[in-house]
Amino acid sequence: MMLALEMFRSIPRFAAAKVSGGRMPGLLVGPMAPLRLVTRDEPAVRRPGWAQVKPLLSGICGSDLGAITGQTSLYFSALVSMPFVPGHEVVGELAEDCEDLPRGTRVVVDPVLACAARGVDPCEPCQQGRTNLCNHVTVGHISPGLQTGFCQDTGGGWGERLTVHRSQLHAVPDSLTDERAVLVEPLACAVQLARRAQVPAGGSVLVSGAGAVGLFAVLALRELTDAGRITVIAKHGRQADLARRFGASDVAAPDEAMRAVRRTTRALRVAPQGLPAPAARLTGASEMLLGGVDVAVDAVGSTSSLDTVLRSTKAGGRAVLSGMPAGADLSPAWFRELEVAGTYASSGDAFDVAMRLAEQAPMDDVVAGRYPLHRWREALDHAQSAGRLGAVKVCFDVRSRA
């Protein structure tokens, strides 16, 4: 038996969370949360290539918070199996031998449950090494689940054990601390983003959002592309400082976003005609740019962030959706013939590259909070308020009972 946080299906709680959203955050980590601390059987998949992992640190991701607070699209409802133990940003130790990796090896987990893990013949994306686009995430010998942490059979990092396939494991070098290793999975996603962005040499980039997704995107874009000017939209002072540390050329507040892009790209600002500012905001008739950045990244997933990205990308430019997207007016994408690219999880050698970034980048203070499982309400409250509190990544320290 083990201690774990378990997300369960509750229509009343989901509806309450959906209605209250971010307006009543106390409810979302209290009585309305579809999450509970339980004692449950340890997960086990009795198939070749599978082994148990003891989590050491497990990150709290924006997608986890979105699921708990009812903000995740129902599009994903067929791609998970409940109840499940969340947690897909994991550094842990092997509790048993796993093929060529001996017991006790420290590992990070690629959470995507692709064909190899599911024991089925590889689909076309998996044959091409694009396992993040696997077509078989609902079939095979384990329950549906697009990732570890969203599948009832595998468990997740918010529990004292999870079970993982060899194809998902990456050994961690001794030179990498646990606090840096737990960042490898989100950094691998940032590597994927940098590659999908296709920034031209010297190209201008806007990153809307300076939470973990946005900051790691800035780091990867600066390290892995030939981007020129990178402008970051940050709400809070510490986010702005970290954005500059990771390679941003300019940082602006959300209400200064258009002005900042206009200044750096010499774009033409076009404002709504005949409407006072409050009415323009109410009707969605926001200002836009003719011209703008070559590539813009939505690293938040909110309607306002995506709207900013679409309205500040030059004609024929590229808009990259990295935050799980909300609804937005797609008129700019149509009118300016934008290329809209999604970026999900990682593939290929992204984990190897992320391991190098985690080791070399100035990231010693990125993990700002560590909580034992029984203090989960405090942990989630901290994660929800991370930007305001100057935190980037909040984690569960699964070893701790203090």
Side-chain angles (χ1 to χ4, degrees), residues 27 81 132 139 173 175 261 314 324 373 397:
L27 287 177
S81 49
N132 60 321
V139 299
S175 57
V261 174
K314 74 176 187 181
M324 192 177 292
L373 291 174
D397 187 339

Side-chain angles (χ1 to χ4, degrees), residues 318-332:
R318 192 169 181 86
V320 182
L321 311 185
S322 183
M324 192 177 292
D329 180 3
L330 296 178
S331 299

Side-chain angles (χ1 to χ4, degrees), residues 6-8 10 13-14 17 28 32-36 67-69:
E6 182 180 82
M7 188 166 180
F8 59 97
S10 170
R13 293 192 185 201
F14 176 84
L28 301 181
M32 288 296 101
L35 195 68
R36 57 197 173 197
I68 294 166
T69 60

Side-chain angles (χ1 to χ4, degrees), residues 222-244:
R222 184 57 78 199
E223 291 290 329
L224 305 177
T225 76
D226 292 325
R229 205 167 199 95
I230 300 178
T231 301
V232 178
I233 308 305
K235 276 188 177 181
H236 307 287
R238 176 160 164 74
Q239 291 179 334
D241 292 342
L242 286 169
R244 293 187 183 95

Side-chain angles (χ1 to χ4, degrees), residues 9 14 67 72-82 84 113 118 134-140 142-147 150-152 324 344:
R9 182 171 282 110
F14 176 84
T72 301
S73 169
L74 290 176
Y75 172 88
F76 296 100
S77 61
L79 305 178
V80 302
S81 49
M82 289 190 171
F84 61 77
L113 292 167
R118 294 183 167 277
C134 178
N135 291 328
H136 290 156
V137 295
T138 61
V139 299
I142 56 174
S143 297
L146 68 170
Q147 292 188 358
F150 296 95
C151 173
Q152 66 178 351
M324 192 177 292
Y344 163 71

Side-chain angles (χ1 to χ4, degrees), residues 23-376:
R23 296 183 297 248
M24 302 174 68
L27 287 177
L28 301 181
V29 295
M32 288 296 101
L35 195 68
R36 57 197 173 197
L37 186 64
V38 299
T39 301
R40 57 180 282 165
D41 292 336
E42 295 180 359
V45 177
R46 304 300 183 190
R47 296 275 181 165
W50 285 84
Q52 282 194 343
V53 170
K54 296 185 296 184
L56 302 172
L57 294 178
S58 185
I60 300 173
C61 177
S63 60
D64 299 321
L65 294 174
I68 294 166
T69 60
Q71 304 308 301
T72 301
S73 169
L74 290 176
Y75 172 88
F76 296 100
S77 61
L79 305 178
V80 302
S81 49
M82 289 190 171
F84 61 77
V85 177
H88 58 275
E89 300 176 355
V90 183
V91 56
E93 292 180 351
L94 276 172
E96 53 192 331
D97 295 343
C98 187
E99 297 185 357
D100 58 316
L101 296 178
R103 177 180 178 177
T105 301
R106 200 160 51 112
V107 293
V108 290
V109 177
D110 179 349
V112 175
L113 292 167
C115 291
R118 294 183 167 277
V120 297
D121 292 337
C123 63
E124 183 177 350
C126 286
Q127 291 177 26
Q128 298 170 351
R130 305 175 72 187
T131 51
N132 60 321
L133 303 183
C134 178
N135 291 328
H136 290 156
V137 295
T138 61
V139 299
H141 58 242
I142 56 174
S143 297
L146 68 170
Q147 292 188 358
T148 295
F150 296 95
C151 173
Q152 66 178 351
D153 292 342
T154 63
W158 297 7
E160 293 178 322
R161 290 286 191 280
L162 69 154
T163 186
V164 182
H165 190 261
R166 177 64 184 89
S167 62
Q168 299 177 273
L169 294 173
H170 298 265
V172 177
D174 292 340
S175 57
L176 205 60
T177 65
D178 292 343
E179 287 77 13
R180 285 177 176 250
V182 77
L183 303 175
V184 168
E185 192 278 336
L187 281 170
C189 295
V191 171
Q192 182 81 7
L193 180 154
R195 291 168 171 173
R196 290 282 288 158
Q198 298 180 13
V199 182
S204 56
V205 181
L206 173 70
V207 177
S208 177
V213 173
L215 290 172
F216 294 165
V218 174
L219 177 66
L221 286 164
R222 184 57 78 199
E223 291 290 329
L224 305 177
T225 76
D226 292 325
R229 205 167 199 95
I230 300 178
T231 301
V232 178
I233 308 305
K235 276 188 177 181
H236 307 287
R238 176 160 164 74
Q239 291 179 334
D241 292 342
L242 286 169
R244 293 187 183 95
R245 186 202 297 181
F246 288 169
S249 311
D250 308 281
V251 181
D255 59 357
E256 294 287 327
M258 289 294 182
R259 192 173 306 167
V261 174
R262 180 188 177 197
R263 183 173 59 249
T264 58
T265 64
R266 301 183 182 276
L268 176 66
R269 173 178 172 269
V270 180
Q273 299 296 310
L275 287 174
R281 286 193 294 269
L282 185 64
T283 59
S286 305
E287 64 181 343
M288 63 173 289
L289 299 178
L290 296 178
V293 294
D294 296 292
V295 177
V297 176
D298 172 23
V300 179
S302 68
T303 301
S304 60
S305 176
L306 182 53
D307 195 53
T308 296
V309 161
L310 294 177
R311 292 171 186 268
S312 57
T313 305
K314 74 176 187 181
R318 192 169 181 86
V320 182
L321 311 185
S322 183
M324 192 177 292
D329 180 3
L330 296 178
S331 299
W334 167 76
F335 175 57
R336 305 296 284 167
E337 291 195 1
L338 303 182
E339 295 183 7
V340 179
T343 175
Y344 163 71
S346 64
S347 61
D349 67 345
F351 263 74
D352 297 329
V353 177
M355 207 88 74
R356 175 175 60 80
L357 292 178
E359 192 166 18
Q360 297 175 357
M363 307 184 78
D364 284 337
D365 54 353
V366 167
V367 174
R370 300 190 301 182
Y371 294 84
L373 291 174
H374 71 268
R375 291 174 57 194
W376 64 272

